[in-house]
Amino acid sequence: MQSFPAVDPIPLPAPIWLLKLLHIVTLALHFVAVEMLLGGLLLAVLFSLFRGSPSSMVAAKALARRLTVVMTYVINLGVPPLLFAQVLYGRALYTSSVLIGAYWISIIAILTLTYWLLYRFSARLEAGKSAWWVGLSAWVLAGFIARLLSTNMTLMLRPEAWRQMYSASGAGIYLPTGDPTLEPRWLMMLAGGLFIGGLWLVYLAGRSTFTADEKSFLAGAGGKIAALFGVVYLVAGLWAAGVQPEVVKAGLHTHWLYKFAGFAGYGWLALVAVAVLLAAVAGFGKLTAGWVGWAGVLVGTLIEIMLVVYRDGVRDLTLLSKGFDVWDRVVVTNWSVVGLFLVLFVGGLGVVGWLVSVVARASKVMEGAA
Ligand code: HEM
């Protein structure tokens, strides 16, 4: 029996390759922000426990202050890939979203609460009050949102599970069970958080708003954390790749298009290994030079792009093996709208770049004194 709902008769308004490209770019940026949030928050909570160590408290406050801004990027960079994913994979994604509907809709409320807790966490730290339990609550909620997203993104690939879930309840109150890919995928995002969070500290070590002692603390702690959790991230990634169905693994080596995604998987492995080495050198050598931090930013971003390309291949091949071909859609490109969209997209990126440059040029306040 056909599991996927019928295709929407309205044709796609832009070429599939363009929608996919935009999806990959925006999702990779969403992942960078998500990893900064998940990792940076947990690290800030841990640092805030050492109230007797001035450097540790400066690190906790520096991260907490930035996390409210990072959250805006998590959300705003999450919306575009959601729209592109719905356009491309709507028949699968809408179905899985409805099946876990109660949880899916609750993300909005959980997100709002998490955001509020982030502000409370930062404010309590600035006021010199105990704040770890506030930060930890925010982290647990953010981790739960990540879990729900992993759940939906894997359930959309399992049409064989949908009918039984819907028979059990149409109210969207059950979460699916029995998917071997869910656990490693979620753990990978959590470990990736500490890995990217560590690289973020190495980047901060190069900033002129910290004293020499604080810089050396940030580079030492950040480098070691990134090196350690880079290895965990790598192992979780290999686990997530290893539990994919055989047809997907084979497709990543043989399918003319998705071989490219297979290569991205190897690229991901190589780049994580490079980042682990860089982080270990920065951590044990307490390197605070600006270029080390920027190298970490570059490698970290490339790692997320590779991951998203690989993940895209896994999704398409899994769906293809179940009769859903993402490329099999009627396209009637509305070039004037596509053109307008691209102009606004580039303009929007320009405005963000300008905002970043204004922040970079603003007069600096030493963070420990702030
Ligand atoms: C605290 C907030 C958030 C966290 C921790 C988070 C985390 C994650 C994680 C872990 C994934 C990967 C799931 C997987 O494939 O295993 C993901 C994917 C995704 N997130 Fe977020 N997210 C957050 C907020 C948002 C928001 C607010 C939106 C949109 C409005 C969003 C949109 C998406 C989309 C569309 C995907 C997957 C896209 C795809 O596979 O095509 N996220 N997120």
Side-chain angles (χ1 to χ4, degrees):
M1 192 185 291
Q2 168 68 272
S3 302
F4 297 104
V7 184
D8 191 326
I10 302 173
L12 293 186
I16 295 177
W17 63 264
L18 181 62
L19 295 172
K20 269 182 150 305
L21 182 69
L22 290 166
H23 177 247
I24 286 170
V25 171
T26 53
L27 186 59
L29 295 175
H30 174 63
F31 278 7
V32 172
V34 163
E35 296 294 38
M36 287 172 77
L37 175 74
L38 289 172
L41 181 53
L42 190 57
L43 292 177
V45 169
L46 293 173
F47 287 139
S48 76
L49 292 172
F50 298 94
R51 297 182 74 182
S53 156
S55 293
S56 190
M57 289 311 288
V58 168
K61 285 185 203 168
L63 287 172
R65 231 174 259 147
R66 288 166 171 82
L67 282 171
T68 47
V69 179
V70 168
M71 183 58 126
T72 62
Y73 284 93
V74 169
I75 297 169
N76 286 295
L77 292 167
V79 176
L82 184 59
L83 301 181
F84 293 124
Q86 285 172 166
V87 168
L88 290 169
Y89 305 97
R91 290 186 295 151
L93 185 53
Y94 283 130
T95 311
S96 57
S97 303
V98 169
L99 286 171
I100 58 163
Y103 291 95
W104 189 239
I105 201 77
S106 75
I107 289 181
I108 298 169
I110 303 172
L111 191 67
T112 312
L113 183 57
T114 311
Y115 211 164
W116 177 72
L117 286 170
L118 284 183
Y119 276 104
R120 295 309 312 144
F121 178 53
S122 181
R124 289 186 71 89
L125 282 176
E126 299 293 342
K129 295 182 185 161
S130 161
W132 66 267
W133 50 277
V134 182
L136 190 61
S137 309
W139 182 79
V140 170
L141 292 178
F144 184 58
I145 295 176
R147 175 78 184 191
L148 292 178
L149 277 150
S150 291
T151 301
N152 201 5
M153 298 308 145
T154 47
L155 180 61
M156 70 174 276
L157 306 179
R158 295 171 63 222
E160 65 279 9
W162 296 347
R163 196 166 297 273
Q164 200 204 346
M165 277 185 75
Y166 191 69
S167 308
S169 166
I173 49 170
Y174 292 122
L175 288 175
T177 50
D179 184 342
T181 66
L182 172 59
E183 223 63 59
R185 204 157 149 160
W186 179 57
L187 287 177
M188 188 184 166
M189 292 304 284
L190 293 185
L194 289 169
F195 165 59
I196 296 283
L199 289 180
W200 186 15
L201 291 178
V202 174
Y203 164 79
L204 288 178
R207 309 273 307 162
S208 58
T209 50
F210 297 99
T211 64
D213 279 351
E214 290 160 3
K215 280 167 172 255
S216 141
F217 175 83
L218 290 168
K224 285 174 204 147
I225 291 166
L228 175 64
F229 284 94
V231 175
V232 180
Y233 183 49
L234 209 128
V235 172
L238 289 174
W239 180 20
V243 291
Q244 295 303 326
E246 287 309 319
V247 60
V248 173
K249 288 188 202 162
L252 288 167
H253 289 109
T254 54
H255 191 287
W256 67 274
L257 179 59
Y258 294 112
K259 260 195 229 176
F260 191 65
F263 285 132
Y266 291 118
W268 177 87
L269 266 178
L271 284 169
V272 175
V274 169
V276 165
L277 278 179
L278 179 80
V281 172
F284 288 100
K286 300 200 170 163
L287 298 187
T288 61
W291 70 265
V292 183
W294 279 109
V297 172
L298 179 68
V299 180
T301 309
L302 287 175
I303 285 171
E304 297 304 332
I305 293 174
M306 295 291 162
L307 172 65
V308 171
V309 172
Y310 178 80
R311 193 176 163 282
D312 190 61
V314 167
R315 168 160 49 202
D316 284 7
L317 287 165
T318 311
L319 288 175
L320 193 60
S321 72
K322 298 174 186 184
F324 180 123
D325 183 357
V326 67
W327 298 95
D328 182 21
R329 291 288 295 274
V330 179
V331 176
V332 179
T333 305
N334 188 336
W335 284 111
S336 52
V337 172
V338 171
L340 184 64
F341 168 79
L342 289 179
V343 169
L344 292 174
F345 185 66
V346 173
L349 288 182
V351 171
V352 172
W354 173 71
L355 280 174
V356 171
S357 80
V358 170
V359 174
R361 279 180 281 122
S363 59
K364 308 273 187 293
V365 179
M366 292 307 280
E367 309 227 6

